[in-house]
Amino acid sequence: MGPGLPPALVLVVLSTGLAIATESLSNPNSKPPSVARATHRNVYYLAEEKIELDCIAEGSPEPVYYWLRNGVRMNLSTPENKARMTLQSNVGTLVIDQARTTDEGVYQCVAENIFGKSVSIKRNVQLARMDPFPTTVPQKKRALLGRSEILTCRPPNSIPRAKISWIIVSEGDLDYRDEDSEEGFNFVNLDNRITMDWKGNLYITNVKPEDGQEGAKYVCMANNKIVRSFNQGEDKILEPFGKDGEKEPADEPVSLLWHSTLDVLGLVGKTAKFKCIFAGNPQVKIVWKRKGKELTSRMSQSRDMFDFEIKRVKYEDAGLYVCEGSNTAHDKVIKKTFNLTVEARPKWVLEPKDLTVGVEENAAFSCEAKGSPQPTVQWYINGNQIELEPPNPRRRLEGNKLIFTNLSKSDSQVIQCNATNKNGFMWADVFLHVLAIPANVDREPLPRLKVAEGQTITLTCESSGKPKPSVVWFKGNQPLTGDRHVVQDNGDLLIKNVNHKDTGNYKCYARNRFGKDEANGTLTVRKKTKIDSEPLDLELIYGNEATFTCGAITDPLETLEYSWLRNGVRIEEDDPRFSIMDGTLTIIDINSKDTANYTCMASNGLDNATASAKLQVKAPPDPPYNVSLKQCYANDAILKWQFDTKLENFSPLQSFIVEYNTSFHPDVWVTGARPSADSREAKIKLSLWVRYNFRVKAINEIGIGKPSAINPSECKTPQGRPDRHPRKVQTVGDKTNFLVIEWEPMPQIEHNAPDFFYNITVKEEDGDGVMNFAEADSTVGRREIFINKTYKPYKIIVRAQNRVGQPYLPAEEIRGFSGEAAPTVVPGNFELDPDKNVTATSAGFRWDPVDTSTESMQGEYKGYKVRYWKREQKETTLHEVFIPDTTKDGALRRRRQADNKMRAEVRNLPSYSEIEADVVVVNNYFSSEGSNIVNFSTPEGVPSAVEYLDALYRGSTHFLLEWGEPKEPNGNVTGYRVGYKKIQGLEVGELVVGKTVTKRRVFLGGLSPDTAYRVYVWGLTQEGQGKEYYIDTRTAEHTSDLVRPVVDKVMAAATAVNVTWRIPDIDGRPVGARSFLQYRQLGKGDWDSVPDEEHEDFWQQIEGLKEATPYQVRVVTKTGQYGSESYREAASDQRTFTTTGVDTFFPVFAYLNANETTNNSTGAAKRANVLSAGWFIGMMVAIAILLLILIIVCIIKRNRGDKYHVQEKERLRGSNPDDGQDHFNEYAKSDENGVGQSNSFENNPEKMPLEYDETDSMEDYGDVDPGKFNEDGSFIGQYGVQKSPEPANASAMSTLV
């Protein structure tokens, strides 16, 4: 009791404190303090700078903080400390300004409230500093080339430990001691020859001249990043020299210069390091091994080979490790053995946890840790060792467990546990909080819970209170007990296998010694969801479609939904290959990755039912794996790989394909081997001087799989001579006065070494001179040498050569000739052969033979060419027919007869044409001048196939056909024949042919509905029937409604009207066989009809109308007999028009569009005035006169085309009495649609017209105005107005519609 305080005031203060403490003990939110773990255990600082030690704790009431330094409580109120040290507000973080050397020490934070004390881990606070290097004079060291040299470094004292490195400093370099960055230093490059030990000494394992650094200094440098300082010292200058004046390093055997500690302690989870530094020249090869066991993937040797480390050390890594050094100067191997012992820092097995309990309850804290050595455990109460605390009969230690019994409110405290061994410690700071709180239901049951029968469900009644409340459940007024009803530890009610009888109202009661609480909710149980149709397993070939079907039933009051899982993962419908419709899953274009278990899940939101099926996709195999090189030699390599049965994709493996690419063509893969299915390696032949990569494909009966990954290391072959010389060496005589040599260029893969070229040797056969040429471009296969001699023999050798040399086998010498020239002789007396008749496509010729000697031919004699062309069209129609030499084989000269004439028959001449022809003699590359020209005419032939055939409209029993003119009329086309065959599956029926027609549009009726037909058209001349053209098409179904016509134009006159219509193209809908017009006066009820007929046209005229009268018109189309089942009828929309006041019908001058009004009498009168005007009538008369003159001119022009008769001798000699007269048929054209017409000028075979059936089973044909129609380009008969025809090809089987 402080002096001067009234007793009453002291009593008030004590009473208030007691009340606060009592309230805190009953407050569920109160809590003992708990300090958060510090981030750093070692803290370094600089003098005069700030130190900040964090300390943040939780607790209620708010904790009070203070600090211990070196175990003594710090008094921050002293004048000295108050000026520099503060605690941050609301936390315990200690801030020390203007830090001094005396501030070093071990600091620990304590947070305290009425329940106890929480203590942080201890933190070691040290002043960062680094001493300077001692001042020394640069030391010069002479080093013998090939031997080792050690440059020592004595690093200064440094906290924390400084990083040591070596730099090269030349005269004039800046002093970097005050810099705080490593940039700008010229560091010594550490590699497999130069390295450092762990103390900072520099080792040069075999000295080379460049180690002299041109007189620059080797400087040892220490870097302390905390003080931001680089200290330099230990300057050394190295002067390499050779033994006996030699400039090359001498050989030195291996020696061990330094090694790290032989007894190595490794901690579990950390990295263990070893090092051996060997010297020797040539360079020492260092190998690290483990005695008695193989090295694991966690064990690795550094690139410079000196260091060895084991990452993430395990207990089983303990043992002996050996470093071995050797070189080629001596056979002796130097070894050093290390012993690794593995221990571990403490690690929690059972870590203490914060506990909040009620009065009269028990509490237990476990503090169990493992490590090597086994950690010892020390307990603390409120920061004090438990052994120093007053005895408590309700507290006891059992092993590593601290137990409290029958707790009271005053037992709240903070407990610490420290598990320690020599390698480290684990610290735990937890609290024990004892409360007295009435029972309370924190989470009430759901007001309405709906579930499915058969489930195990939980009704929530999560309760709290200190001591822990007891919970009792009731359904209605009946307490719940038994195996199906289990009250959980937190108060929830577990009901197993619920059924419809469990539906009802549930209530829970929570109670302890300080109070009670209750809550209720309603449970509704629905029928269970069941799968009644399970999906079936599927085995399919890739690329097909897989369909799984699933059906389920559920409670009628719930909505059922389906989803699908693939190997347990839900299938999302964003994948376009997957579609889910109700209980059906469809996968299109399946592949091997789709092989899986597919599960149908039917759910109503309350429960779900599942059923699974397996999909096995037969597909090409998946790629092999682990492809690697087993060996790589100069001429072959062995490749190995792995392949498992599961990669076969349900089709037995047949074989493999091993492919390679090269550095010359990395994008081109070549098959190198085809090993059998049981092989897992293959031998591949290689070429020299090539870098190879390999991959492997697997094959099964389904196909070839995708390639494997490329082998990780390429195969590189050495250099060598080429294996062969170039092939196919020959001379080419296409260039006069030149010797042209050609060969097959050798690919880069056969060069076998750099500097590849072709060595060409040429020697004239009758001379002594030798010429040599080199071609450095390996892609070139031709050499042109100027000779200035025509067709002279030479001996030629083309060799391959590279940097290494030529192939071992000699190159073959070939005989060749210099270039040819045009023959100097010309065939004479060229004429038609009197023994051969001129037909529509052929003619015979004869001529005098020429001198075929080498001198006359200026090359090798090959034969003759007969050339022919259409008169005055030589440039565009010239053709040549080669007549080969037939005398070389000693056979009878078939082309010469007793008159010593050469003879030839030329076929495929253009029919009905004026022809000119001549003959030339030829050698390999050149032709002579042409002979005299023969003129003659070919008679009329049969036409080629028509340009196109199209089914404009397709009804259920008819087609409307249209076709183009023949590509090559070959005469005057007199008409056409149309026929058809019925197609049933793959069978084609008998040909049915109709009568001859002269137009190019016809109505083909009497067909069967929904039937495929092959429709033919032939052109005719007086010589017979031409080449066929056919299409495959199909009639429409008679069950479909007819397509309604659409009126296009209405052209009215005084007493008549012309109406044009079209039939829209609607896929699959039939078109009527007969169309006609119906009309009526505007306002009248009944329709008048124009007689219906089978129309090839889409226009019709109505006559006998009243002048200047409005009418309505429509088009009606129908098919079948009225009253029959097949009868169909459809009508267009009606159109309105008004007749004019002129008697004569000029439809083009009285056109009314579809929007014309019905009461336009004023407009009709105006049109009548125009048509009766004098100027209009005069214009019409002038047009008629011009048309008459044009017709007369055409008739005269046509009559001038008659042919003239010539005498036999003039015909044979090729003369023509009137060269200026035109005898060509104006219809002759080239074949552009490629159907191979028999008489086409550009096609070869001559064929006779095909026979045909004269039976006429088609309807009558009518006239047509083809100019009114357009064709839409369809090959198989689309509906619509015909446009200008495009060429169409006639195939063996066109697409069926």
Side-chain angles (χ1 to χ4, degrees):
M1 184 180 300
L5 288 177
L9 181 58
V10 173
L11 182 61
V12 169
V13 170
L14 291 175
S15 300
T16 302
L18 182 61
I20 294 174
T22 303
E23 181 182 358
S24 297
L25 292 172
S26 301
N27 184 359
N29 296 321
S30 62
K31 187 171 68 172
S34 177
V35 174
R37 293 185 179 180
T39 54
H40 300 288
R41 295 182 180 179
N42 292 310
V43 179
Y44 301 101
Y45 69 93
L46 297 176
E48 300 301 322
E49 292 190 0
K50 180 189 294 184
I51 303 174
E52 189 170 301
L53 304 176
D54 60 293
C55 181
I56 302 174
E58 295 181 349
S60 179
E62 192 72 25
V64 175
Y65 298 91
Y66 62 88
W67 283 82
L68 304 176
R69 184 173 65 190
N70 298 329
V72 179
R73 180 168 179 169
M74 297 177 64
N75 184 0
L76 303 183
S77 300
T78 64
E80 181 181 357
N81 290 342
K82 189 174 183 180
R84 293 190 307 115
M85 302 181 184
T86 58
L87 291 180
Q88 291 183 352
S89 60
N90 299 323
V91 294
T93 299
L94 176 63
V95 179
I96 305 175
D97 293 321
Q98 299 176 357
R100 304 171 183 174
T101 305
T102 55
D103 292 327
E104 286 187 315
V106 177
Y107 288 73
Q108 193 171 23
C109 176
V110 179
E112 180 180 14
N113 68 10
I114 61 173
F115 298 110
K117 298 177 183 179
S118 178
V119 182
S120 72
I121 62 171
K122 296 178 180 180
R123 276 175 277 185
N124 188 21
V125 179
Q126 293 179 281
L127 175 65
R129 54 189 175 270
M130 182 170 65
D131 298 338
F133 277 95
T135 302
T136 58
V137 177
Q139 178 184 1
K140 290 185 178 182
K141 300 189 70 174
R142 285 174 54 81
L144 184 62
L145 293 177
R147 291 191 178 178
S148 61
E149 189 63 46
I150 304 174
L151 304 182
T152 59
C153 178
R154 290 171 291 177
N157 295 326
S158 176
I159 299 177
R161 184 177 178 181
K163 175 185 175 183
I164 307 301
S165 55
W166 284 81
I167 60 174
I168 303 296
V169 178
S170 303
E171 292 295 332
D173 284 353
L174 296 177
D175 187 355
Y176 290 101
R177 285 191 175 94
D178 297 330
E179 297 289 338
D180 58 0
S181 171
E182 293 185 353
E183 294 183 2
F185 290 108
N186 182 15
F187 286 96
V188 173
N189 184 31
L190 302 181
D191 53 22
N192 61 351
R193 193 175 61 86
I194 302 176
T195 187
M196 291 172 53
D197 64 20
W198 294 349
K199 297 178 180 180
N201 299 314
L202 184 68
Y203 293 78
I204 303 176
T205 59
N206 57 78
V207 175
K208 293 186 177 181
E210 57 265 29
D211 295 331
Q213 300 293 340
E214 298 179 352
K217 296 183 293 184
Y218 286 81
V219 178
C220 178
M221 183 175 71
N223 175 17
N224 185 323
K225 292 186 177 181
I226 301 298
V227 300
R228 300 183 292 276
S229 176
F230 294 89
N231 286 354
Q232 299 178 13
E234 303 284 339
D235 300 351
K236 292 176 176 62
I237 298 174
L238 196 64
E239 296 180 349
F241 68 96
K243 190 175 183 180
D244 298 329
E246 294 290 336
K247 294 184 179 181
E248 292 298 324
D251 288 348
E252 292 290 337
V254 178
S255 61
L256 181 62
L257 299 181
W258 183 88
H259 60 81
S260 58
T261 304
L262 298 180
D263 291 321
V264 181
L265 175 62
L267 297 180
V268 173
K270 302 299 181 180
T271 299
K273 296 183 178 182
F274 311 76
K275 187 161 189 170
C276 285
I277 302 178
F278 288 95
N281 189 49
Q283 185 63 44
V284 177
K285 179 182 179 181
I286 304 174
V287 178
W288 288 85
K289 297 180 180 180
R290 183 181 184 185
K291 281 192 175 181
K293 293 183 180 180
E294 294 291 330
L295 298 178
T296 68
S297 59
R298 294 179 293 104
M299 303 174 183
S300 61
Q301 186 174 355
S302 63
R303 288 187 177 181
D304 60 15
M305 299 188 296
F306 296 114
D307 295 273
F308 179 76
E309 66 179 23
I310 304 173
K311 297 179 179 179
R312 302 182 301 280
V313 171
K314 298 180 179 180
Y315 283 113
E316 55 265 31
D317 295 335
L320 299 178
Y321 294 82
V322 180
C323 64
E324 298 180 353
S326 63
N327 69 4
T328 57
H330 199 278
D331 294 336
K332 186 177 181 181
V333 177
I334 304 298
K335 300 181 181 181
K336 184 59 68 173
T337 301
F338 298 82
N339 181 29
L340 174 64
T341 302
V342 178
E343 296 183 353
R345 293 175 177 173
K347 184 177 181 180
W348 289 121
V349 176
L350 290 175
E351 183 180 4
K353 304 293 182 183
D354 295 328
L355 288 180
T356 301
V357 297
V359 295
E360 299 180 357
E361 292 183 328
N362 302 329
F365 295 88
S366 295
C367 182
E368 185 175 344
K370 64 179 180 179
S372 179
Q374 180 63 36
T376 59
V377 174
Q378 175 64 56
W379 290 92
Y380 298 84
I381 302 294
N382 292 325
N384 300 318
Q385 290 187 16
I386 194 169
E387 293 81 3
L388 303 179
E389 286 291 296
N392 185 345
R394 292 179 291 107
R395 181 187 69 211
R396 69 180 186 274
L397 277 173
E398 292 183 0
N400 290 326
K401 184 177 290 187
L402 180 61
I403 300 173
F404 296 86
T405 58
N406 193 24
L407 290 165
S408 64
K409 293 181 180 180
S410 61
D411 287 328
S412 292
Q413 55 194 284
V414 181
I415 301 166
Q416 291 84 28
C417 169
N418 186 21
T420 309
N421 68 9
K422 68 175 185 178
N423 299 312
F425 69 93
M426 297 295 292
W427 174 265
D429 184 272
V430 296
F431 62 75
L432 172 62
H433 193 23
V434 183
L435 295 173
I437 302 174
N440 183 69
V441 178
D442 298 329
R443 287 184 58 202
E444 299 182 354
L446 292 176
R448 290 179 178 81
L449 177 62
K450 187 165 57 174
V451 299
E453 62 183 359
Q455 293 180 328
T456 295
I457 60 107
T458 298
L459 299 179
T460 58
C461 185
E462 190 172 313
S463 306
S464 63
K466 299 299 178 184
K468 181 179 179 180
S470 61
V471 178
V472 180
W473 280 85
F474 289 82
K475 179 187 176 187
N477 296 322
Q478 181 179 359
L480 295 175
T481 58
D483 294 338
R484 287 201 313 118
H485 301 87
V486 180
V487 179
Q488 302 296 299
D489 190 56
N490 64 350
D492 294 344
L493 175 64
L494 183 73
I495 306 178
K496 302 177 182 178
N497 194 22
V498 296
N499 55 53
H500 188 67
K501 294 181 180 180
D502 291 322
T503 298
N505 185 55
Y506 289 77
K507 181 178 292 187
C508 69
Y509 294 89
R511 179 193 304 271
N512 68 8
R513 59 180 290 191
F514 298 107
K516 62 182 179 179
D517 197 6
E518 65 181 52
N520 60 68
T522 301
L523 175 65
T524 302
V525 181
R526 299 293 194 205
K527 288 185 178 179
K528 185 178 182 179
T529 302
K530 298 179 180 179
I531 300 290
D532 63 350
S533 177
E534 296 187 355
L536 302 177
D537 292 341
L538 297 177
E539 185 177 277
L540 300 171
I541 295 177
Y542 80 109
N544 288 321
E545 180 179 285
T547 301
F548 294 102
T549 302
C550 171
I553 56 175
T554 191
D555 193 291
L557 297 177
E558 303 298 330
T559 302
L560 192 62
E561 293 183 354
Y562 292 91
S563 60
W564 287 83
L565 292 81
R566 181 182 183 276
N567 288 337
V569 179
R570 186 184 182 94
I571 298 174
E572 302 297 337
E573 293 190 63
D574 55 358
D575 189 332
R577 294 195 307 112
F578 290 79
S579 64
I580 299 174
M581 185 67 66
D582 294 331
T584 300
L585 169 66
T586 302
I587 313 171
I588 63 173
D589 192 20
I590 58 175
N591 55 57
S592 61
K593 294 182 179 179
D594 295 322
T595 295
N597 289 321
Y598 290 85
T599 301
C600 167
M601 178 180 291
S603 173
N604 60 7
L606 305 178
D607 73 332
N608 62 71
T610 60
S612 296
K614 185 181 297 182
L615 173 61
Q616 294 182 345
V617 180
K618 286 187 173 183
D622 289 336
Y625 63 98
N626 287 348
V627 177
S628 61
L629 276 171
K630 185 176 181 180
Q631 67 181 40
C632 174
Y633 296 145
N635 296 310
D636 58 65
I638 296 179
L639 191 73
K640 62 179 182 178
W641 62 90
Q642 291 181 280
F643 187 87
D644 303 329
T645 305
K646 64 182 180 182
L647 303 177
E648 294 181 356
N649 290 330
F650 310 103
S651 177
L653 182 68
Q654 293 182 337
S655 62
F656 294 96
I657 298 177
V658 177
E659 297 179 329
Y660 65 82
N661 72 354
T662 67
S663 51
F664 304 129
H665 301 287
D667 297 329
V668 178
W669 289 91
V670 181
T671 299
R674 288 182 174 269
S676 61
D678 56 354
S679 299
R680 294 299 181 268
E681 65 178 43
K683 189 174 185 179
I684 306 100
K685 292 184 178 180
L686 307 180
S687 294
L688 299 175
W689 194 55
V690 182
R691 296 199 307 271
Y692 289 90
N693 287 305
F694 301 93
R695 68 184 189 185
V696 185
K697 296 178 181 177
I699 306 175
N700 61 17
E701 63 182 9
I702 305 300
I704 301 175
K706 291 183 178 180
S708 68
I710 298 173
N711 62 296
S713 59
E714 67 180 7
C715 177
K716 184 177 180 180
T717 56
Q719 299 178 11
R721 299 169 180 261
D723 295 322
R724 64 174 179 86
H725 295 286
R727 299 188 180 106
K728 298 182 181 180
V729 180
Q730 61 180 2
T731 57
V732 180
D734 59 353
K735 198 166 184 179
T736 305
N737 294 330
F738 280 81
L739 176 63
V740 180
I741 306 169
E742 289 187 349
W743 61 90
E744 185 181 74
M746 293 176 61
Q748 201 168 7
I749 197 172
E750 296 187 62
H751 293 181
N752 291 1
D755 303 331
F756 179 88
F757 67 97
Y758 302 108
N759 189 335
I760 305 164
T761 302
V762 176
K763 180 180 181 298
E764 192 171 357
E765 191 172 64
D766 299 330
D768 297 328
V770 177
M771 295 179 287
N772 288 298
F773 305 92
E775 178 55 64
D777 188 348
S778 64
T779 63
V780 170
R782 180 181 172 106
R783 182 79 177 197
E784 298 179 357
I785 305 170
F786 181 72
I787 298 295
N788 201 22
K789 294 180 181 180
T790 303
Y791 201 64
K792 295 298 180 182
Y794 288 85
K795 294 181 179 179
I796 301 148
I797 301 175
V798 180
R799 301 179 178 89
Q801 188 168 341
N802 61 20
R803 178 185 294 177
V804 179
Q806 295 183 4
Y808 289 106
L809 295 177
E812 180 182 359
E813 181 181 80
I814 66 120
R815 184 173 185 263
F817 291 84
S818 58
E820 297 181 348
T824 59
V825 292
V826 179
N829 297 318
F830 181 64
E831 61 185 0
L832 289 170
D833 189 344
D835 298 331
K836 296 285 185 179
N837 292 327
V838 177
T839 70
T841 60
S842 67
F845 302 92
R846 68 180 185 180
W847 63 91
D848 294 336
V850 299
D851 178 14
T852 60
S853 65
T854 301
E855 291 75 17
S856 297
M857 296 306 298
Q858 295 202 93
E860 181 184 10
Y861 167 66
K862 301 301 291 184
Y864 297 88
K865 283 183 182 178
V866 175
R867 307 185 300 186
Y868 63 90
W869 60 91
K870 285 186 179 182
R871 187 178 177 187
E872 297 181 355
Q873 300 180 42
K874 184 174 182 179
E875 290 186 359
T876 58
T877 63
L878 176 65
H879 281 254
E880 297 179 340
V881 177
F882 177 59
I883 311 300
D885 175 24
T886 60
T887 62
K888 289 187 176 181
D889 57 2
L892 180 64
R893 298 186 179 186
R894 294 179 286 105
R895 300 187 184 277
R896 287 196 195 183
Q897 296 183 357
D899 55 5
N900 198 33
K901 292 280 188 178
M902 297 298 297
R903 284 178 166 78
E905 183 178 8
V906 177
R907 298 179 180 272
N908 301 318
L909 297 175
S911 302
Y912 208 50
S913 301
E914 293 288 341
I915 305 295
E916 293 181 343
D918 67 0
V919 65
V920 295
V921 65
V922 297
N923 55 30
N924 285 304
Y925 298 99
F926 298 95
S927 301
S928 70
E929 295 292 331
S931 69
N932 60 291
I933 296 176
V934 173
N935 294 275
F936 63 97
S937 301
T938 53
E940 190 174 34
V942 296
S944 68
V946 297
E947 287 189 287
Y948 69 92
L949 171 61
D950 195 6
L952 295 179
Y953 295 122
R954 299 180 301 116
S956 58
T957 59
H958 67 277
F959 299 125
L960 180 59
L961 303 173
E962 183 180 81
W963 56 90
E965 295 179 348
K967 294 279 290 183
E968 294 288 345
N970 295 332
N972 293 317
V973 178
T974 60
Y976 301 90
R977 283 200 182 97
V978 179
Y980 66 87
K981 295 180 181 179
K982 183 182 290 188
I983 301 175
Q984 294 179 328
L986 299 177
E987 300 293 330
V988 180
E990 295 294 328
L991 177 66
V992 180
V993 181
K995 296 184 298 183
T996 301
V997 296
T998 58
K999 55 190 181 309
R1000 291 186 289 107
R1001 181 180 291 180
V1002 71
F1003 182 92
L1004 179 59
L1007 307 177
S1008 302
D1010 193 24
T1011 303
Y1013 287 91
R1014 179 165 293 175
V1015 182
Y1016 298 83
V1017 170
W1018 299 268
L1020 304 173
T1021 63
Q1022 291 182 355
E1023 293 298 314
Q1025 180 173 287
K1027 175 70 176 178
E1028 67 185 24
Y1029 190 111
Y1030 69 84
I1031 62 171
D1032 290 345
T1033 185
R1034 193 180 193 90
T1035 54
E1037 298 181 14
H1038 70 79
T1039 56
S1040 303
D1041 294 333
L1042 296 182
V1043 176
R1044 295 179 62 198
V1046 175
V1047 176
D1048 272 344
K1049 297 179 181 178
V1050 178
M1051 296 179 287
T1055 61
V1057 66
N1058 188 316
V1059 180
T1060 303
W1061 66 88
R1062 60 183 171 86
I1063 308 295
D1065 179 12
I1066 303 177
D1067 190 25
R1069 295 271 297 278
V1071 177
R1074 296 175 295 280
S1075 299
F1076 59 93
L1077 295 178
Q1078 289 185 338
Y1079 64 97
R1080 64 186 177 189
Q1081 289 188 28
L1082 187 64
K1084 298 295 181 68
D1086 296 332
W1087 292 92
D1088 293 325
S1089 299
V1090 178
D1092 62 307
E1093 54 186 72
E1094 292 171 334
H1095 274 282
E1096 300 125 32
D1097 307 324
F1098 299 97
W1099 62 273
Q1100 207 170 26
Q1101 184 174 314
I1102 306 172
E1103 297 178 339
L1105 304 179
K1106 296 179 180 180
E1107 296 184 9
T1109 303
Y1111 285 87
Q1112 289 180 319
V1113 68
R1114 69 180 183 179
V1115 182
V1116 178
T1117 183
K1118 63 181 180 179
T1119 187
Q1121 296 296 324
Y1122 183 78
S1124 68
E1125 182 181 352
S1126 62
Y1127 181 78
R1128 298 285 187 277
E1129 182 179 288
S1132 70
D1133 295 333
Q1134 62 191 30
R1135 295 279 292 271
T1136 302
F1137 68 94
T1138 302
T1139 56
T1140 68
V1142 181
D1143 293 335
T1144 306
F1145 174 54
F1146 294 104
V1148 72
F1149 307 113
Y1151 170 69
L1152 297 175
N1153 60 32
N1155 299 321
E1156 195 169 8
T1157 60
T1158 58
N1159 297 316
N1160 195 3
S1161 58
T1162 302
K1166 289 180 180 180
R1167 283 188 293 275
N1169 292 336
V1170 172
L1171 295 174
S1172 61
W1175 65 268
F1176 181 76
I1177 296 173
M1179 182 179 68
M1180 291 296 99
V1181 173
I1183 293 174
I1185 293 171
L1186 290 174
L1187 290 173
L1188 180 60
I1189 293 172
L1190 180 60
I1191 293 171
I1192 293 171
V1193 171
C1194 290
I1195 293 173
I1196 293 173
K1197 182 73 172 178
R1198 180 63 176 267
N1199 290 336
R1200 290 186 64 193
D1202 294 339
K1203 300 179 181 177
Y1204 293 89
H1205 299 286
V1206 296
Q1207 296 180 2
E1208 181 66 15
K1209 184 175 181 180
E1210 291 174 330
R1211 183 181 70 82
L1212 297 178
R1213 299 296 297 169
S1215 62
N1216 195 327
D1218 186 3
D1219 289 336
Q1221 190 164 2
D1222 182 11
H1223 293 280
F1224 290 107
N1225 188 308
E1226 295 298 323
Y1227 294 98
K1229 300 178 182 178
S1230 62
D1231 175 18
E1232 294 178 358
N1233 81 334
V1235 295
Q1237 293 82 352
S1238 63
N1239 295 315
S1240 172
F1241 186 53
E1242 285 76 10
N1243 290 276
N1244 292 327
E1246 177 184 0
K1247 296 182 180 179
M1248 296 300 293
L1250 298 176
E1251 296 183 359
Y1252 59 90
D1253 191 348
E1254 291 287 354
T1255 304
D1256 184 8
S1257 63
M1258 295 183 288
E1259 302 292 337
D1260 293 335
Y1261 301 99
D1263 293 333
V1264 66
D1265 179 10
K1268 283 183 163 293
F1269 299 91
N1270 296 324
E1271 190 257 330
D1272 66 355
S1274 172
F1275 179 70
I1276 56 174
Q1278 301 296 321
Y1279 302 126
V1281 178
Q1282 182 198 2
K1283 304 174 184 176
S1284 58
E1286 296 287 335
N1289 294 333
S1291 61
M1293 176 65 77
S1294 301
T1295 305
L1296 297 181
V1297 176

